[in-house]
Amino acid sequence: MTWIEEIDLSMGGVGLSDTVFKLQELNTALSSVLFDGRYAGKPLYLDIEDEQLQEAGALLGISGAEFAQQAAAATGAVLASADKQEALYRHALDARRWLRTASDKPPPFVLMLAVLSMAANEMQGDAEFSANNYYERLFALTGISDAAEKSRV
């Protein structure tokens, strides 16, 4: 069981909540695009392009823009549910577990890394944020607006 599933159960869920299921569904779709063999033997960077979002969205019957929005919202819901150090620690545990099992399933953390990368990709000075303000961009992307939730991330 991944830590995301543990959080869901601790919040009273009877199995996977809609958000956790959506996160896993989106992770699988994006992983299917990224690990379909076209990048075999090449370095893979999680600087997700519009074309990759469109392909992943098409697997779920949605647009690339909808895929990005749903990925950001699901990631935000998970990030806001646990403190930052705990979230990152548990992702590291999931990564180790995934590596140890030599699973043929996609890594459970690809989508999370992609969303974090999407926020970093927006880091440039603008009227709203300074160029080095990563967290406010992450909050804007993921829809995290509550002060208590922000403090957990």
Side-chain angles (χ1 to χ4, degrees):
M1 175 180 305
T2 67
W3 73 274
I4 296 170
E5 293 166 336
E6 290 171 12
I7 288 172
D8 178 57
L9 290 172
S10 73
M11 294 180 354
V14 184
L16 297 176
S17 71
D18 291 342
T19 299
V20 173
F21 178 78
K22 178 57 75 177
L23 189 74
Q24 292 175 335
E25 179 183 52
L26 294 163
N27 187 73
T28 299
L30 182 60
S31 294
S32 295
V33 171
L34 296 176
F35 302 117
D36 68 355
R38 75 181 101 171
Y39 303 112
K42 300 176 187 173
L44 180 63
Y45 301 98
L46 283 179
D47 181 14
I48 307 302
E49 302 295 332
D50 288 342
E51 176 185 302
Q52 293 164 320
L53 292 172
Q54 290 170 1
E55 286 183 59
L59 292 173
L60 301 175
I62 59 177
S63 71
E66 289 173 296
F67 184 91
Q69 186 277 325
Q70 289 181 19
T75 299
V78 170
L79 283 176
S81 70
D83 71 66
K84 178 175 55 180
Q85 288 181 335
E86 180 71 6
L88 296 175
Y89 172 74
R90 288 186 177 252
H91 269 292
L93 288 178
D94 281 349
R96 285 188 193 128
R97 186 177 310 133
W98 179 78
L99 286 169
R100 274 196 317 267
T101 62
S103 176
D104 61 347
K105 293 182 180 178
F109 46 82
V110 170
L111 187 75
M112 178 79 67
L113 293 175
V115 170
L116 296 175
S117 177
M118 289 164 69
N121 198 41
E122 297 298 317
M123 292 184 68
Q124 53 191 324
D126 60 29
E128 194 172 357
F129 306 123
S130 65
N132 63 346
N133 193 334
Y134 173 77
Y135 282 100
E136 288 303 323
R137 284 181 175 76
L138 180 63
F139 297 147
L141 178 66
T142 58
I144 298 172
S145 58
D146 181 73
E149 290 177 347
K150 285 182 176 184
S151 71
R152 286 194 292 268
V153 176

